[in-house]
Amino acid sequence: MQPSLVVHLTLAWVCWTLTLAQSIPSSKALETVPIGCVSGKYFHDHIASGSGSLTPQPDRKNCKEQCYVTGFKYAYFRKQSKKCYCTSSDRQSPPAKQMVDGTDREGRCKDTHASIDYFQSQYKFDLCYDKVPGPTSRKKLVSSHEKCFDYCHGNGPDNDSWVVSVVPQKKEGKYLCKCFTSNAQGKGKHNCGPNDAFRYIH
């Protein structure tokens, strides 16, 4: 084969490879985010008795690592009893009426309560606010944070929201899911808890 032909074929292959790579959309890494706190009683009576994996862990960080590396979607951790529960069942994401107040705006919980982390969010957690005002592209009541993320993320750029607000509605036992195509800002500093807005961003 002539050298010039080899060069042409090589260049053609490189161009085809670059074109193919550009045509494949890059996948955004999924995030680990806090989604609230539940009471120790609810954790032991209704969560840890499920079909997931219950292990002793020294802290929340180790609990999250344990659940993540073993392929689960949720990590529950109660510091007082050092119990870590891993599950992938959305049915074990607690109803909004079971949410209790956290200790800060960053998703931390009291030692007697159990924290909840979710590993497959399309959004990063920002902070908790009194509210996230502004016009929404769509909103509805959902059974969990996971359902809200999927609802706001949608298919295609026209349905993909920049900001998501999740507010526990204790009376309804569900979460008010609000999707924003703009960079809607939170208003009012507040610890994460019932009726507070958990703000997530792309």
Side-chain angles (χ1 to χ4, degrees), residues 54-88:
L54 182 65
T55 60
Q57 295 294 335
D59 52 39
R60 184 175 180 176
K61 180 176 181 291
N62 278 271
C63 178
K64 288 194 291 184
E65 290 175 353
Q66 169 67 20
C67 295
Y68 180 80
V69 299
T70 48
F72 290 97
K73 293 199 297 186
Y74 292 92
Y76 287 79
F77 180 72
R78 186 172 185 239
K79 185 174 181 179
Q80 188 179 67
S81 59
K82 297 190 183 300
K83 293 289 181 66
C84 171
Y85 181 74
C86 310
T87 182
S88 289

Side-chain angles (χ1 to χ4, degrees), residues 134-202:
T136 60
S137 58
R138 55 196 183 281
K139 62 181 179 180
K140 72 173 182 177
L141 288 173
V142 296
S143 60
S144 67
H145 282 67
E146 180 179 351
K147 298 289 187 188
C148 182
F149 297 144
D150 291 343
Y151 173 65
C152 290
H153 187 56
N155 295 314
D158 293 338
N159 294 321
D160 198 1
S161 303
W162 282 101
V163 172
V164 173
S165 168
V166 185
V167 184
Q169 305 288 295
K170 295 199 75 169
K171 184 177 180 181
E172 294 85 353
K174 292 191 174 184
Y175 299 86
L176 177 59
C177 173
K178 299 168 70 176
C179 317
F180 300 86
T181 53
S182 63
N183 187 23
Q185 299 297 311
K187 301 292 184 182
K189 298 179 179 180
H190 216 283
N191 289 355
C192 300
N195 302 313
D196 298 317
F198 289 68
R199 182 176 181 267
Y200 301 88
I201 57 177
H202 245 323

Side-chain angles (χ1 to χ4, degrees), residues 59-126:
D59 52 39
R60 184 175 180 176
K61 180 176 181 291
N62 278 271
C63 178
K64 288 194 291 184
E65 290 175 353
Q66 169 67 20
C67 295
Y68 180 80
V69 299
T70 48
F72 290 97
K73 293 199 297 186
Y74 292 92
Y76 287 79
F77 180 72
R78 186 172 185 239
K79 185 174 181 179
Q80 188 179 67
S81 59
K82 297 190 183 300
K83 293 289 181 66
C84 171
Y85 181 74
C86 310
T87 182
S88 289
S89 174
D90 179 54
R91 289 174 296 179
Q92 288 188 277
S93 179
K97 62 184 177 182
Q98 297 298 337
M99 286 291 170
V100 295
D101 285 319
T103 59
D104 60 22
R105 303 176 64 206
E106 299 179 2
R108 296 183 182 89
C109 306
K110 297 177 181 178
D111 293 353
T112 54
H113 294 163
S115 60
I116 316 165
D117 290 283
Y118 175 59
F119 299 123
Q120 297 184 10
S121 171
Q122 301 92 336
Y123 300 88
K124 295 180 180 179
F125 176 66
D126 172 31

